[in-house]
Amino acid sequence: MPKKSTAKSVKRGSSDNDEQLPPKQSRLKHSDIPSPLCFNSPVSLFESLIQPMGTEQFFREYWEKKPLHLQRSDPSTASYYQSLFQLSDLQSLCSNNLEYYRDINVVRCINGKKKDELWKIQEKLECFFGALVGSNVYITPQESQGLPPHYDDVEVFILQLEGQKHWRLYSPTVPLAAEYSVESEERIGSPTHDIVLKAGDLLYFPRGTIHQAETPAGVDHSTHLTLSTYQRMSLGDLLLDIFPSLLCDRSKSEVSLRQGIPRRLLLGNSEGLDTARLLAARFRSLADEMETGMQEVTSTHMKRDFIMNRLPPYSQQELLTPSGKIPALEDMVCLRFKDHMVIMVEPSQERTDEATELVISVLHSLKNQRESHMMGESCDEQEGLNISWGLQFPLSHLQALRQLQQAEQLAVDQLQLPTQEAKLSLVLALWSENLLVVL
């Protein structure tokens, strides 16, 4: 499947603009079908997605470890899955200015269509995982296979919508793979799982799991939905995000990190072991401070990338302007859309040789556009647009923001800020972004 990338031409699992699509006839036709999914919260949605498997058991025994096949004999579940997308939807969609690769991929005999009526499911799952969630729909004619054996760099949840699909899974050659790759038949050996998915079934497998699938003979076609997540969300990715800025800032306050490297090191004529010991000592000191809480660990790029590229809350139109009473000192208030915002401590844009000044950024996804979901533009490419996504406060506001983040409700006058003016200024700024409401 296409992957999220910083290159604008590479896209994965994006949702198309609702206004450009025809009326959802299938959704209206199946509106009386009760949903087996519970949208009360991100947790309840995931619980209902993998039922009857329990969430705790799933993460203990299967997540990042091994595949899971859930067979669903309940016809109502199969009917609901079919209502998400079916082959008959494709004809009307093809007459609405679809672009090759952005909207439709054709791989031999497979059509892949990204469908934005999955918005509600993906949005809740992005809140649950704290990571981007892509979706692709695959329609495969009988006795057809679109892709050779391969593995992906994402955690995969497959929902069989129509027909049947024969899946063969193999042991990973690269466990928890960080990139997509095709594997030869000679290397993969015998399948560890040989499964036929029927309408209503769910199949999960971790990134790196080698797989191939085909529609069996006698089955007119197969339609399945792939929900994918956790691309570039490893501990290694987190370290790559944290360490460059951490070391840069640390070197401004610690003279030992500003000492020159050994002479002729780059020419390979220096004592490499001594250099390794020197670097290890610096890392060890830093690790000790991180472990004891003396050095704060902050991820800025990954958080910003997630907020910039994720889906907005469901029913976004009502979120574009603030609503309700303007907050006053005597009011009780609470934050809205906590799962759609992040509070970050990060360096200010004005960098000098002195210790970098820190500021508080409150970023959110309320104003994101569904048509740009996971399109892969980097933070640098979007620089200058950050005002649309959030607010910035001095470091002195951190405790007050944490109060609001942790409390179900709070009186404005109880905010831990030195002046009444500062308290009002904070809540008014959040209210103006529709992140706060008066109770």
Side-chain angles (χ1 to χ4, degrees):
M1 65 185 69
K3 300 294 189 289
K4 176 182 175 293
S5 168
T6 55
K8 291 186 178 180
S9 60
V10 181
K11 307 164 186 177
R12 185 199 73 190
S14 59
S15 299
D16 304 320
N17 192 343
D18 207 24
E19 286 71 26
Q20 296 177 352
L21 296 177
K24 304 298 188 298
Q25 298 297 330
S26 61
R27 181 166 55 187
L28 296 175
K29 179 180 178 181
H30 293 276
S31 60
D32 57 340
I33 297 175
S35 172
L37 303 180
C38 177
F39 292 95
N40 291 341
S41 69
V43 172
S44 67
L45 174 63
F46 186 76
E47 288 175 344
S48 61
L49 182 69
I50 64 167
Q51 59 83 28
M53 171 71 63
T55 300
E56 182 179 340
Q57 182 184 1
F58 172 79
F59 283 100
R60 183 179 65 249
E61 299 180 11
Y62 294 94
W63 176 255
E64 294 189 329
K65 298 180 180 70
K66 62 182 180 180
L68 169 66
H69 176 207
L70 294 175
Q71 295 176 288
R72 309 276 177 62
S73 57
D74 181 8
S76 63
T77 300
S79 297
Y80 174 78
Y81 278 11
Q82 186 181 28
S83 73
L84 295 175
F85 192 89
Q86 53 190 308
L87 179 60
S88 58
D89 292 332
L90 191 59
Q91 183 176 0
S92 59
L93 290 173
C94 287
S95 63
N96 282 269
N97 301 318
L98 298 181
E99 291 185 19
Y100 175 71
Y101 193 68
R102 185 195 69 182
D103 304 303
I104 296 284
N105 290 342
V106 180
V107 185
R108 291 180 61 188
C109 297
I110 293 184
N111 298 300
K113 178 66 190 73
K114 294 168 282 191
K115 197 74 163 69
D116 67 353
E117 55 195 62
L118 296 169
W119 176 16
K120 191 175 182 181
I121 295 175
Q122 287 178 255
E123 180 255 327
K124 278 287 191 291
L125 288 178
E126 286 187 337
C127 292
F128 178 78
F129 286 111
L132 296 174
V133 175
S135 69
N136 297 78
V137 172
Y138 297 89
I139 302 173
T140 316
Q142 66 172 312
E143 296 188 86
S144 297
Q145 176 176 333
L147 297 171
H150 67 281
Y151 57 80
D152 296 301
D153 58 345
V154 286
E155 301 293 303
V156 171
F157 296 85
I158 294 165
L159 282 63
Q160 187 67 28
L161 309 184
E162 292 182 310
Q164 299 179 11
K165 199 72 175 282
H166 179 203
W167 289 83
R168 283 171 288 172
L169 311 182
Y170 306 82
S171 295
T173 53
V174 183
L176 301 181
E179 59 185 14
Y180 167 93
S181 183
V182 173
E183 283 286 20
S184 66
E185 295 276 3
E186 293 75 22
R187 289 194 63 190
I188 61 178
S190 300
T192 57
H193 297 75
D194 194 297
I195 297 168
V196 175
L197 285 188
K198 299 179 181 179
D201 284 1
L202 179 143
L203 175 64
Y204 159 80
F205 50 82
R207 55 193 186 276
T209 303
I210 302 168
H211 56 277
Q212 58 179 326
E214 62 182 351
T215 302
V219 177
D220 181 69
H221 69 277
S222 164
T223 305
H224 79 261
L225 165 68
T226 295
L227 296 171
S228 56
T229 190
Y230 256 61
Q231 186 182 50
R232 293 195 289 274
M233 290 288 289
S234 69
L235 289 174
D237 293 310
L238 184 61
L239 287 172
L240 287 171
D241 182 29
I242 291 170
F243 265 76
S245 59
L246 190 153
L247 290 174
C248 179
D249 293 338
R250 184 64 174 265
S251 66
K252 293 177 181 179
S253 59
E254 187 172 319
V255 67
S256 64
L257 290 176
R258 301 201 297 271
Q259 293 175 349
I261 64 175
R263 187 172 60 86
R264 297 179 62 81
L265 174 66
L266 302 183
L267 295 174
N269 295 329
S270 182
E271 293 295 331
L273 184 59
D274 289 343
T275 303
R277 287 172 177 166
L278 186 65
L279 293 175
R282 299 292 182 268
F283 279 121
R284 194 172 294 112
S285 173
L286 189 58
D288 289 341
E289 292 191 10
M290 291 168 62
E291 188 172 16
T292 57
M294 295 176 61
Q295 175 65 57
E296 185 175 1
V297 177
T298 58
S299 168
T300 56
H301 178 80
M302 289 179 71
K303 286 183 178 180
R304 191 179 293 273
D305 180 76
F306 172 49
I307 288 295
M308 286 171 55
N309 288 289
R310 67 171 300 188
L311 285 166
Y314 192 64
S315 301
Q316 179 192 25
Q317 290 301 317
E318 62 191 54
L319 310 177
L320 298 182
T321 56
S323 60
K325 180 181 180 294
I326 298 176
L329 281 172
E330 66 273 10
D331 288 328
M332 297 293 293
V333 297
C334 70
L335 286 182
R336 306 178 69 197
F337 309 108
K338 291 182 181 181
D339 286 336
H340 282 268
M341 62 184 292
V342 295
I343 299 174
M344 302 193 308
V345 178
E346 60 181 352
S348 68
Q349 297 301 313
E350 298 181 5
R351 289 175 174 263
T352 66
D353 287 337
E354 303 297 328
T356 305
E357 179 186 359
L358 297 178
V359 295
I360 308 300
S361 292
V362 179
L363 306 181
H364 63 81
S365 60
L366 271 61
K367 298 179 183 178
N368 287 3
Q369 299 299 310
R370 282 180 293 151
E371 61 267 27
S372 61
H373 177 233
M374 296 177 65
M375 288 300 190
E377 290 187 341
S378 68
C379 296
D380 294 336
E381 291 169 334
Q382 291 285 353
E383 190 174 359
L385 299 179
N386 291 349
I387 189 65
S388 299
W389 296 321
L391 304 159
Q392 200 168 83
F393 301 99
L395 191 60
S396 59
H397 284 51
L398 179 60
Q399 186 56 41
L401 285 165
R402 295 298 187 205
Q403 281 182 274
L404 289 167
Q405 191 177 41
Q406 295 167 10
E408 292 294 328
Q409 60 182 38
L410 187 71
V412 175
D413 196 41
Q414 292 179 352
L415 289 171
Q416 295 183 22
L417 286 169
T419 67
Q420 307 288 61
E421 181 181 4
K423 297 173 184 180
L424 271 180
S425 177
L426 173 61
V427 294
L428 284 171
L430 294 169
W431 177 84
S432 69
E433 289 288 295
N434 218 5
L435 295 173
L436 179 139
V437 64
V438 176
L439 299 177

